[in-house]
Amino acid sequence: MSLSLPERLARDRTLPDAELKTLLASGAHDAELFALADATRRRTYGDEVFVRGLVEFTNFCRNDCLYCGIRKSNARAERYRLTEEEILSCCATGRALGFRTFVLQGGEDAAWSDARLADLVKEICARHPDCRMTLSVGERPRAAYEAFFAAGARRYLLRHETANEAHYAFLHPAGLSLANRMKCLFDLKDIGYQVGAGFMVGSPGQTLDCLVDDLRFLQKLDPDMVGIGPFIHHAETPFAREPNGSLDLTLRLLAVLRLMFPHVLLPATTALGTIHPQGREMGLKAGANVLMPNLSPVRVRKAYSLYDSKICTGEEAAECAGCLARRVAAAGYRIVSDPGDVRRPS
Ligand code: 5AD
Ligand code: FES
């Protein structure tokens, strides 16, 4: 008996382009694909789900990505910037709720100079020596990444968004380049960060060939985390009338990523929870093993609006933590209070 496509992907951790596209193009293999992905995640991570406390600390952004609700051209965005004290207080709340890793995410905000951000990282690490600091603040010079690392940051999230040159140009303003995005990712790895890359599923102009390019790029980068979620339109962007990404394709890609990168950290994202009420639970069952709930103060949550209808904008950190614990348990997994490092085979 010859092996099925999902079985061959599980065995070889790769497939030729044409077969990857076959797997992604229809739901024909989904049941088997998701079962193999779940078995693969359980071999390394059991039923554990890692949580990262996300602090969306500024929505000022000098960039103008066409898909993003906080792009600088969106004059209707209500801009905010948390203070050091507010950010430290979010982390303290998170620590008390069991979080052992914090992600500071924000737009590319000049008011947060490299030096100011490095000082904040140092202070958070000093107050919470048992916690891991992650930054997600976009493209900065290598020297900045080095300064953040010296200050104690150990992880960096920077989605590559698409590994297809023409598609990258379609999604971004002139001046941004895929080459620089990739250079940033390789610099971060070289400095010693655990690196997270990733892309949106169903972004305007995306084809199956683009997705294959994404998978091939990830094979080269070999990241510790891969963040993917459906594209969701935002009313105040040029893509306001574009259709949202599909739940099914996002789940399929999570499962494919789990089989290609058995040890990778794979979040079931807020965007996935936004396009379907059970999206994050379905993501876990398709191979995801990380959740990134929001620790930002409720008063700013609606303003950090990358896309429309984002969930959890009215809930306090403790409410989301409780809600997630119940959801994860109902799905057959368990949230652990742990920094949640990647478990690569030794
Ligand atoms: N829909 C879904 N995801 C989005 N992001 C930005 N805008 C959108 C959108 N409209 C994602 C990008 C970015 C991450 C922080 O959020 O991939 O890297
Ligand atoms: Fe935020 Fe359920 S996770 S309300």
Side-chain angles (χ1 to χ4, degrees):
M1 260 279 289
S2 64
L3 295 180
S4 66
L5 284 182
E7 284 170 331
R8 282 178 44 222
L9 183 59
R11 184 192 63 187
D12 302 336
R13 299 186 190 174
T14 191
L15 284 173
D17 290 0
E19 293 181 321
L20 282 175
K21 285 195 264 185
T22 304
L23 207 46
L24 294 176
S26 87
H29 299 277
D30 280 0
E32 190 189 12
L33 188 63
F34 297 168
L36 281 170
D38 186 52
T40 300
R41 77 89 85 193
R42 284 177 190 270
R43 266 199 300 282
T44 303
Y45 295 102
D47 61 353
E48 296 185 15
V49 172
F50 298 145
V51 282
R52 281 84 168 87
L54 188 64
V55 183
E56 298 162 336
F57 71 102
T58 174
N59 73 350
F60 284 87
C61 193
R62 67 183 165 99
N63 258 334
D64 217 20
C65 306
L66 277 76
Y67 45 83
C68 184
I70 64 168
R71 66 200 303 267
K72 75 164 175 229
S73 296
N74 180 7
R76 300 175 76 164
E78 262 181 66
R79 304 289 170 173
Y80 74 91
R81 184 180 287 132
L82 298 183
T83 63
E84 274 83 352
E85 291 65 38
E86 287 172 312
I87 297 168
L88 286 162
S89 140
C90 291
C91 293
T93 302
R95 173 83 186 46
L97 287 170
F99 291 90
R100 293 296 175 268
T101 175
F102 305 115
V103 183
L104 296 192
Q105 183 176 90
E108 299 193 358
D109 178 1
W112 281 95
S113 66
D114 301 340
R116 183 177 173 198
L117 204 46
D119 282 346
L120 176 62
V121 167
K122 209 183 253 175
E123 183 61 28
I124 296 173
C125 292
R127 293 196 189 186
H128 306 292
D130 58 344
C131 295
R132 208 81 79 226
M133 270 305 300
T134 303
L135 289 176
S136 179
V137 292
E139 296 182 11
R140 300 218 178 194
R142 180 175 172 123
Y145 293 154
E146 283 166 349
F148 302 152
F149 193 86
R154 287 296 173 268
R155 298 178 180 156
Y156 203 99
L157 308 182
L158 182 68
R159 290 189 179 178
H160 64 279
E161 311 296 358
T162 174
N164 178 283
E165 197 83 55
H167 190 218
Y168 196 93
F170 182 71
L171 296 178
H172 297 99
L176 287 192
S177 76
L178 179 58
N180 193 56
R181 183 60 60 118
M182 289 181 172
K183 179 185 179 297
C184 288
L185 283 163
F186 284 105
D187 278 348
L188 288 161
K189 254 198 98 150
D190 190 50
I191 292 166
Y193 283 98
Q194 297 174 33
V195 170
F199 55 92
M200 288 174 288
V201 179
S203 56
Q206 184 180 66
T207 62
L208 286 181
D209 286 302
C210 293
L211 291 171
V212 170
D213 290 345
D214 288 321
L215 298 174
R216 297 301 177 215
F217 169 66
L218 292 170
Q219 286 177 318
K220 278 194 210 113
L221 179 68
D222 189 26
D224 300 287
M225 184 187 260
V226 180
I228 68 164
F231 162 77
I232 302 174
H233 54 229
H234 185 291
E236 300 294 334
T237 65
F239 291 155
R241 288 169 199 285
E242 297 290 333
N244 290 341
S246 110
L247 170 72
D248 289 349
L249 184 56
T250 307
L251 296 174
R252 213 169 285 147
L253 274 156
L254 282 170
V256 165
L257 288 165
R258 172 58 66 208
L259 294 181
M260 290 180 75
F261 307 95
H263 305 277
V264 83
L265 296 163
L266 207 52
T269 55
T270 302
L272 187 55
T274 297
I275 51 162
H276 190 286
Q278 247 78 56
R280 289 169 297 177
E281 290 90 326
M282 290 188 265
L284 293 176
K285 293 180 186 176
N289 66 328
V290 175
L291 292 167
M292 302 179 59
N294 202 323
L295 291 178
S296 313
V298 169
R299 72 177 164 77
V300 302
R301 287 197 185 191
K302 277 197 176 55
Y304 199 82
S305 160
L306 309 184
Y307 47 82
D308 289 340
S309 310
K310 188 175 163 201
I311 53 169
C312 300
T313 56
E315 280 79 10
E316 296 288 348
E319 293 177 75
C320 281
C323 169
L324 274 184
R326 283 189 298 278
R327 285 170 177 264
V328 167
Y333 304 92
R334 179 170 57 95
I335 289 181
V336 291
S337 178
D338 185 285
D341 281 310
V342 69
R343 295 185 188 150
R344 289 187 184 263
S346 38

